Amino acid sequence: MLLRHHHHHHLHHPRPLLSFPFSSTLSHPQPHPSLSFLSIIMSSSSSSSTSPPPTTTTTKKKKPRRGQPESDLKHKLDMCSKRNDLAKALQLYDDARVKGIPLSLHHYNSLLYLCSRGDEEGNGIMSSERGFEVFEQMVVAGVQPNEASFTSLARFAAMREDPETAFEVVRRMKVSGIAPRLRSYWPALEGFCGKGMAERVYEVDGHMRESGVVAEEPELRCVLRASVDAKHGDKVYEVLHQLRETVRQVGEDTARILEEWFGSEAGGEVGLRRWDKEMVRKGVAKGGGGWHGQGWLGTGKWNVVRTQMDDAGVCCCCREKLDWLVEHGPFDAVIDAANVGLVNQRDLSFSQLHSVVKKLQLLSPTRRLPLVVLHRNRVYGGPALHPRNRQLLESWENSIALYATPTGSNDDWYWLYAAVSSKCLLVTNDEMRDHLFQLLGNDFFPRWKEKHQVRLSIARNGVSLHMPPPYSIVIQESEKGHWHVPMVMEDELGKLRQWLCVTRKAATCAKTKLSGLS
């Protein structure tokens, strides 16, 4: 599935939106007498640059209080959004217009959002038409649209299978100084892909890059789908490297498209019969390992197998060893003590924590104790008051292996900073998906986490540490022109990850089937 949202509306002869009327009549739409769709976009996007600055006043504008018509309408529309109740929202909108209740940007965006999701009967044309009416009234009322408003407008165009207009909306946004977001591009990207218009898909993708918008897997999958359908081998190669750089591991839908490409006649026709091996080696060295970027190597049909890696990072199919893109640091470690001590426990278990500390000390080349990071409240209260636990904490403190984070602070910041700055392992089962970790960026942090996070499981025989794999879990391109593509896993702990092993048919495969794999 390529969709980011659930709308599919198949029309045999969709009417171009550049002359789409702003009325609720569906049977025989006629051109609007004075205002085309495009002119509305232009007028709304240019008003911010042509309108005079607002008059300053010493009196601060008060927000509508609960009980006032505007506030009540906002609350009711928010409830409609939660329930996806478009019919009720439009009834509230019509009543508000009759009563002369002024609508704010929030009011309009709530209505536009609901219209972009379609009605209960799945009639996207009806809901998109009402959405155009709301947008037109928004412009007429002098309410300046923002990114969310324009994105809804692009979705209306997509609901009528008009990706050209959806793309025009995004271009007008950028011209008017409103920065498009990733979601703004999706209606045009998906629409062009669905129509098999690969060149237009590439144009949207290029516009995204120019705008500094980084594509994620759904968008790259869309470009990949268009490239495979168009048999554009060079573009497939380019997208594979984009996936390697930004996504690293692919989902099932993307994996199936890759399997389709490598199993196709067009896929088998791409590639060099002869190539400069020294240039390839230099490319691998320059890139830090795991890829060379010199294009498809070899010729002939591909062999595609779903396989796994052994504990040494060797492919169970082709027996190639995967690379570390960056080498390990020393086996010194930082422990997220609260997380470790609470695995399968109701209260913090210091004996469990102590077991992990001893295991990590044995792994250290210098037999150095790991750094135990624990919130001050847990160091001086609760189970820590037990004499045996108190003695354990004092021994760590005397060895400078305990850090008690201050009251009122988030201990996550401390163990993360210690691990990153020391370039050492971090022991925690925390998936680190909170906002604070997202601030570190999608480029650096997932890579760092992959190479440094140690997780643990508890069984009858005690604590087991799951060390980082001896290879990078990222799409890899070998010097032989082979590919290994890791697939996303829901729960990675204790499970073997599936990989796509892609080699030329001429290459022998040591093992083509694994238990439970197809």
Side-chain angles (χ1 to χ4, degrees), residues 4 19 37 112 169 184 219 222 346 383 399 402 426 457 475:
R4 272 192 176 275
S19 59
F37 175 70
L112 293 171
V169 170
S184 310
E219 290 73 28
C222 213
R346 291 184 61 184
S399 300
L402 174 67
L426 171 64
S457 58
I475 297 170

Side-chain angles (χ1 to χ4, degrees), residues 407-428:
T407 302
S409 62
N410 187 344
D411 57 344
D412 291 5
W413 278 113
Y414 292 86
W415 50 254
L416 181 61
Y417 174 78
V420 172
S421 61
S422 301
K423 299 180 180 178
C424 67
L425 297 175
L426 171 64
V427 186
T428 180

Side-chain angles (χ1 to χ4, degrees), residues 242-258:
Q242 283 183 270
L243 287 165
R244 177 188 59 78
E245 291 172 5
T246 59
V247 177
R248 296 171 66 82
Q249 305 147 31
V250 303
E252 178 65 30
D253 293 337
T254 307
R256 287 178 180 174
I257 298 175
L258 288 172

Side-chain angles (χ1 to χ4, degrees), residues 27-42:
S27 54
H28 300 288
Q30 299 296 323
H32 193 277
S34 62
L35 202 56
S36 71
F37 175 70
L38 184 57
S39 66
I40 288 182
I41 301 173
M42 294 178 68

Side-chain angles (χ1 to χ4, degrees), residues 1 8-9 11 24 52 72 130 145 149 209 221 247 281 284 292 306 319 334 377 406 412 480 486 515:
M1 293 289 290
H8 277 290
H9 304 285
L11 301 176
S24 58
D72 287 347
R130 286 306 308 269
S149 317
R209 297 192 208 186
R221 182 166 63 242
V247 177
R281 278 194 289 269
V284 171
H292 53 74
R306 293 200 179 194
R319 307 308 301 170
V334 173
N377 293 348
D412 291 5
K480 298 177 182 178
S515 175

Side-chain angles (χ1 to χ4, degrees), residues 101-357:
I101 299 173
L103 273 66
S104 68
L105 178 63
H106 181 91
H107 292 132
Y108 282 113
N109 277 345
S110 296
L111 288 159
L112 293 171
Y113 168 73
L114 279 165
C115 288
S116 72
R117 295 183 66 178
D119 60 21
E120 293 181 358
E121 286 73 36
N123 191 338
I125 301 301
M126 176 70 79
S127 59
S128 66
E129 184 169 330
R130 286 306 308 269
F132 284 129
E133 291 179 22
V134 172
F135 190 88
E136 178 185 18
Q137 180 56 35
M138 183 182 186
V139 175
V140 171
V143 177
Q144 179 63 35
N146 63 3
E147 178 274 331
S149 317
F150 279 111
T151 296
S152 292
L153 204 58
R155 288 170 181 163
F156 300 153
M159 290 161 82
R160 291 183 60 86
E161 298 192 352
D162 186 0
E164 291 288 354
T165 300
F167 190 24
E168 181 61 28
V169 170
V170 179
R171 285 189 289 228
R172 289 290 172 183
M173 286 173 63
K174 188 174 181 182
V175 169
S176 64
I178 298 174
R181 292 173 60 182
L182 187 59
R183 64 183 184 180
S184 310
Y185 286 96
W186 180 252
L189 196 65
E190 183 201 20
F192 285 131
C193 180
K195 289 178 176 289
M197 302 171 69
E199 296 300 331
R200 301 293 281 144
V201 169
Y202 304 153
E203 189 176 343
V204 176
D205 182 46
H207 197 278
M208 287 173 58
R209 297 192 208 186
E210 289 174 8
S211 302
V213 176
V214 179
E216 296 178 358
E217 185 173 3
E219 290 73 28
L220 291 174
R221 182 166 63 242
C222 213
V223 181
L224 179 65
R225 175 77 273 168
S227 302
V228 170
D229 290 345
K231 302 179 182 180
H232 292 167
D234 290 344
K235 199 67 182 180
V236 174
Y237 185 85
E238 179 185 324
V239 177
L240 253 175
H241 277 291
Q242 283 183 270
L243 287 165
R244 177 188 59 78
E245 291 172 5
T246 59
V247 177
R248 296 171 66 82
Q249 305 147 31
V250 303
E252 178 65 30
D253 293 337
T254 307
R256 287 178 180 174
I257 298 175
L258 288 172
E259 287 173 323
E260 179 185 336
W261 164 254
F262 286 113
S264 69
E265 186 177 342
E269 291 175 350
V270 299
L272 301 171
R273 290 183 178 274
R274 299 176 181 274
W275 61 89
D276 190 330
K277 293 183 179 180
E278 183 61 28
M279 284 292 292
V280 170
R281 278 194 289 269
K282 286 181 179 179
V284 171
K286 184 178 179 181
W291 68 285
H292 53 74
Q294 300 298 307
W296 302 111
L297 303 183
T299 56
K301 293 182 178 180
W302 296 92
N303 188 56
V304 186
V305 178
R306 293 200 179 194
T307 185
Q308 295 165 346
M309 301 296 147
D310 66 17
D311 292 339
V314 175
C315 176
C316 294
C317 177
C318 68
R319 307 308 301 170
E320 281 192 358
K321 192 176 189 309
L322 298 192
D323 290 334
W324 259 116
L325 305 196
V326 178
E327 292 184 359
H328 275 295
F331 281 123
D332 291 328
V334 173
I335 300 177
D336 174 8
N339 181 279
V340 168
L342 286 168
V343 173
N344 292 359
Q345 304 289 339
R346 291 184 61 184
D347 296 316
L348 186 68
S349 170
F350 280 91
S351 61
Q352 185 167 289
L353 183 56
H354 182 43
S355 176
V356 173
V357 169

